[in-house]
Amino acid sequence: MITTQPQIEEQALEWFVRLSDVDAPASDWLSFQDWLEADDSHRFAYDAVERTWVELDAVPVGAAEVTVLPVAANDEDVRPAARRAARRRPVWLFPSVAAAAAAALVVGVWPQIDGVGDVQTWHTDAAPRTVTLDDGSRIVMNRHSDLSVRMDRKARTVTLSEGEAAFDVTHNPARPFTITAGDHNVRVLGTAFNVLNHGDRFSVGVERGVVAVTPAGAAKAAAVRLVAGQKIDQTGTQSPTLSQVAADQTSMWRQGMLVYRDAVLSDVADDLSRYFGKPVTVDASARSMHFTGALRVGDEATMLKQLQDFVPVHATRSSTDVRLTGDAR
């Protein structure tokens, strides 16, 4: 049976309505992901529904809440079900939502620690490390990272205080898995994903499954859920951005590659700082530069040579730091 475009648009609206429900279960999100990936027309239709929401909302950044009434392209008015499902949406990422409209925003509820499980801590220096938890979940820590884990009877809690880690979490709804990374919380619904928390940079990229992200201490309506192939990035107090990424490239560092797409040079330098174990700074002459490409992880000299092959910069090295300066060619 061939599905027509009006039927696809109707399905997209139904998904929007269903996932606007604060009580939508993880199974709905996983089914939504399957539907979204089944055909490009599904993603386009859902993007159109989300864009309609964005266009109808003129609430400024920082407003406490937004009331949403989704509209289908072929409906003369909003369907009753859509009216009933209209929810308050998070606005902490409002300016960027159009860049990845398929990222559905919903309420997250963060569990409290339960039980008296011991806290285990791990630190990495110049090499990654794999940690296997008692539930079968695996964490691959990148270089120069600090992480602690508390495994209680009713909760699994991780703190990524510094660095980067890739998670592959065993699904257990009776024992929620949450991560604190800087001033953000990540709630896991059985998935594989990557988290970066370094300096004032924070990001989450999802390889498989669903995660929910919210700023620590924010209202419940500030949560956002991401499915496979979606990523959220934030630097300092800037508005976070949502983007689409190849699901298998969310943690390419595990394969010895650092992949960038139109990245500001300061972010590249920030990553190199963690790999070199010393500050990499960018001179004013190079701060406007962007980088698209891949760096193969190696020693300091090799990685800097690769960068200079792609970007017109000169690297000045010392025993305590590296400075990148614009190099007119």
Side-chain angles (χ1 to χ4, degrees):
M1 177 180 177
I2 298 177
T3 304
T4 66
Q5 186 59 32
Q7 289 174 319
I8 293 173
E9 291 171 355
E10 178 70 12
Q11 291 171 2
L13 179 59
E14 290 175 354
W15 277 116
F16 185 93
V17 172
R18 184 187 303 182
L19 299 179
S20 292
D21 190 336
V22 298
D23 296 319
S27 58
D28 277 359
W29 284 93
L30 296 176
S31 296
F32 166 66
Q33 180 185 335
D34 292 338
W35 177 83
L36 204 65
E37 296 175 347
D39 194 282
D40 285 344
S41 64
H42 295 179
R43 186 177 296 276
F44 295 148
Y46 194 83
D47 284 353
V49 172
E50 286 277 7
R51 278 197 302 272
T52 299
W53 165 59
V54 172
E55 291 165 0
L56 289 176
D57 245 306
V59 178
V61 177
E65 57 194 28
V66 179
T67 298
V68 182
L69 291 178
V71 180
N74 294 327
D75 283 356
E76 295 181 358
D77 194 5
V78 180
R79 295 169 56 226
R83 281 191 187 277
R84 291 194 299 269
R87 299 287 180 182
R88 294 183 173 113
R89 296 289 187 127
V91 295
W92 61 287
L93 45 67
F94 177 81
S96 311
V97 72
L105 313 181
V106 298
V107 171
V109 179
W110 308 110
Q112 300 298 315
I113 300 296
D114 181 272
V116 290
D118 293 331
V119 175
Q120 296 177 285
T121 61
W122 291 272
H123 169 77
T124 56
D125 287 314
R129 176 175 183 171
T130 299
V131 175
T132 302
L133 304 182
D134 63 15
D135 65 344
S137 298
R138 295 176 69 250
I139 305 172
V140 184
M141 300 173 60
N142 204 347
R143 307 179 187 202
H144 300 287
S145 298
D146 291 288
L147 180 147
S148 63
V149 178
R150 179 171 176 171
M151 302 292 283
D152 296 319
R153 185 170 58 87
K154 294 185 178 180
R156 300 167 290 175
T157 307
V158 175
T159 299
L160 179 62
S161 54
E162 168 61 33
E164 184 173 26
F167 297 80
D168 195 335
V169 177
T170 301
H171 181 53
N172 183 353
R175 199 182 183 194
F177 193 108
T178 61
I179 301 166
T180 297
D183 58 357
H184 292 78
N185 292 321
V186 180
R187 184 184 183 192
V188 185
L189 303 176
T191 183
F193 60 101
N194 194 79
V195 179
L196 169 69
N197 176 40
H198 179 62
D200 62 354
R201 292 174 60 206
F202 168 80
S203 73
V204 177
V206 182
E207 177 182 343
R208 186 183 70 253
V210 186
V211 302
V213 182
T214 190
K220 291 188 296 183
V224 56
R225 292 197 190 190
L226 305 175
V227 297
Q230 293 179 335
K231 184 180 181 184
I232 187 169
D233 295 276
Q234 184 171 21
T235 301
T237 58
Q238 296 177 4
S239 298
T241 59
L242 296 170
S243 59
Q244 302 289 334
V245 297
D248 60 355
Q249 292 185 8
T250 56
S251 55
M252 286 294 290
W253 58 268
R254 288 185 296 170
Q255 301 175 39
M257 299 291 293
L258 303 182
V259 179
Y260 300 94
R261 183 172 62 184
D262 195 32
V264 295
L265 196 58
S266 59
D267 284 351
V268 179
D270 189 56
D271 288 339
L272 294 179
S273 296
R274 291 187 295 114
Y275 279 81
F276 299 164
K278 61 185 180 182
V280 178
T281 59
V282 180
D283 185 76
S285 60
R287 287 174 191 162
S288 63
M289 294 182 183
H290 287 233
F291 173 51
T292 296
L295 301 178
R296 185 173 297 280
V297 176
D299 60 44
E300 180 179 310
T302 299
M303 294 186 73
L304 289 173
K305 182 180 184 305
Q306 294 176 62
L307 180 63
Q308 292 172 102
D309 287 342
F310 284 106
V311 184
V313 294
H314 174 72
T316 303
R317 301 166 55 198
S318 74
S319 59
T320 57
D321 68 353
V322 175
R323 187 170 184 81
L324 301 178
T325 307
D327 181 16
R329 297 180 181 179

